[in-house]
Amino acid sequence: MQRYQSLDVPQIARGASVAMGNFDGLHLGHQSVLDLARRPDMPLGVVTFEPHPREVFAPDAPPFRLMNATSRAHRLEKLGVEYLYEIPFDRALADLTPQAFMDEVLIARLGIAHLVVGADFRFGKSRKGSTDTLSQAPFALTVAPLLEGPDGAVSSTAIRTALSEGRPTDAAAMLGHWHRIEGVVEHGFKRGREMGFPTANISMAGLHLPAFGIYACRVDVRDGPHSGTYDAIASLGSRPTFGDNAPNLEVMLLDFSGDLYGEELSVALMHFQRPELKFDGMEPLIAQMHRDVEETRRLLS
């Protein structure tokens, strides 16, 4: 997959059939839009925006993204996308009228041949552009119907709600895959190692926070000498036993020995085991961690 992070797109990447949207989470509704963009005679592309428009208009709002730009690119590549156009989003772009956005971006800069958007897609200044506006453009247009699940429309908002309530299986049913948190392993306080539970620490900065607590997981180590897939237990939260800390994800790969610092992990949250707790000292914490590991093994067996 070729990834373009500006509007300087080479001639070879023009003439694609593209799906356009924010694609946060790449849930089943997003995947249905992608499927409608697949054409045997055209390369498959995605037009999205980085940063997410909500980060520009509400920079002080709580983190909401289900995946960062790198995670989204990984998933799109797995789904067969050939060209990813990440349009830099800022106030100047937001102030373009719908007609100017079509003329200057979609036609002049990207040269798209076919566009697919969801039925509720809005764009341009004050979000005045709609599918009716796009239907007047010289490229072909397909409007994807909104996808309904058993409990209503499949949406990033509904997925965030499921994750916040500790329902990763329900989130996965809407995503079509396990919700994954991806990042590079950072150095922490090494308390887990001292207690006999060495963990890999991943920052949650900028991401939606699922329910704090203990999860049974599967972890992909992307590269390096330990690349592969492992059963794991994860603690997501602020570690209240040790004071007030920024939320992060601590992952312990089961039956694993090795150094993962600097490696990129992809952590699939599969089962929510229990909420985060504050313990009165190390001994009850360690005893509970042993019970948690046994429960993880049972859930993943």
Side-chain angles (χ1 to χ4, degrees):
M1 183 181 75
Q2 296 298 312
R3 184 179 179 186
Y4 302 103
Q5 296 174 291
S6 75
L7 288 173
D8 295 325
V9 174
Q11 185 66 32
I12 193 174
R14 296 169 65 87
S17 174
V18 305
M20 183 163 64
N22 290 311
F23 296 105
D24 188 27
L26 278 167
H27 55 62
L28 290 174
H30 295 145
Q31 293 173 46
S32 69
V33 174
L34 277 178
D35 287 341
L36 288 173
R38 300 181 194 277
R39 290 289 186 273
D41 56 339
M42 300 178 191
L44 175 62
V46 161
V47 174
T48 189
F49 306 94
E50 191 60 37
H52 191 293
R54 279 177 58 180
E55 294 174 304
V56 173
F57 291 117
D60 298 325
F64 65 92
R65 290 183 70 153
L66 293 168
M67 52 174 39
N68 58 33
T70 300
S71 299
R72 182 176 60 194
H74 285 154
R75 176 64 59 176
L76 287 170
E77 187 168 26
K78 287 182 178 180
L79 292 171
V81 172
E82 296 167 74
Y83 298 123
L84 172 57
Y85 313 97
E86 287 180 346
I87 299 176
F89 191 88
D90 54 20
R91 293 281 181 175
L93 186 77
D95 283 341
L96 289 179
T97 66
Q99 187 65 50
F101 180 80
M102 289 193 302
D103 291 343
E104 298 174 23
V105 177
L106 299 182
I107 299 171
R109 303 302 292 271
L110 302 184
I112 67 171
H114 173 231
L115 177 66
V116 182
V117 294
D120 60 347
F121 185 75
R122 296 292 183 271
F123 70 102
K125 187 174 183 178
S126 302
R127 293 171 52 84
K128 290 184 177 179
S130 66
T131 55
D132 287 340
T133 314
L134 291 167
S135 68
Q136 302 168 29
F139 46 74
L141 175 69
T142 300
V143 179
L146 298 180
L147 188 66
E148 292 287 328
D151 300 315
V154 173
S155 69
S156 298
T157 299
I159 292 164
R160 291 185 197 102
T161 299
L163 291 170
S164 295
E165 295 175 352
R167 298 185 284 114
T169 302
D170 291 344
M174 291 182 278
L175 285 164
H177 52 84
W178 295 109
H179 175 61
R180 288 182 173 270
I181 297 169
E182 301 185 346
V184 174
V185 177
E186 302 176 344
H187 286 274
F189 293 104
K190 299 180 174 60
R191 295 191 188 103
R193 187 177 303 278
E194 294 170 1
M195 293 185 291
F197 296 89
T199 58
N201 294 270
I202 297 175
S203 171
M204 294 294 297
L207 295 178
H208 171 76
L209 294 172
F212 284 6
I214 303 300
Y215 291 82
C217 307
R218 285 215 167 85
V219 175
D220 291 338
V221 181
R222 291 196 180 279
D223 298 298
H226 304 295
S227 62
T229 300
Y230 301 85
D231 289 350
I233 182 171
S235 173
L236 195 160
S238 59
R239 307 174 299 288
T241 301
F242 302 103
D244 187 19
N245 302 281
N248 80 335
L249 184 69
E250 295 182 284
V251 186
M252 187 182 81
L253 279 56
L254 302 183
D255 307 314
F256 173 83
S257 177
D259 185 351
L260 292 173
Y261 291 120
E263 299 291 350
E264 186 175 357
L265 304 189
S266 177
V267 182
L269 303 184
M270 298 175 66
H271 302 282
F272 181 72
Q273 294 181 208
R274 65 165 177 84
E276 184 175 54
L277 301 172
K278 183 176 181 179
F279 294 89
D280 295 326
M282 299 289 282
E283 288 188 10
L285 172 57
I286 292 172
Q288 181 61 54
M289 290 170 71
H290 281 290
R291 291 191 290 270
D292 292 337
V293 168
E294 289 308 308
E295 176 64 4
T296 296
R297 291 186 187 278
R298 185 190 69 81
L299 289 169
L300 297 178
S301 64

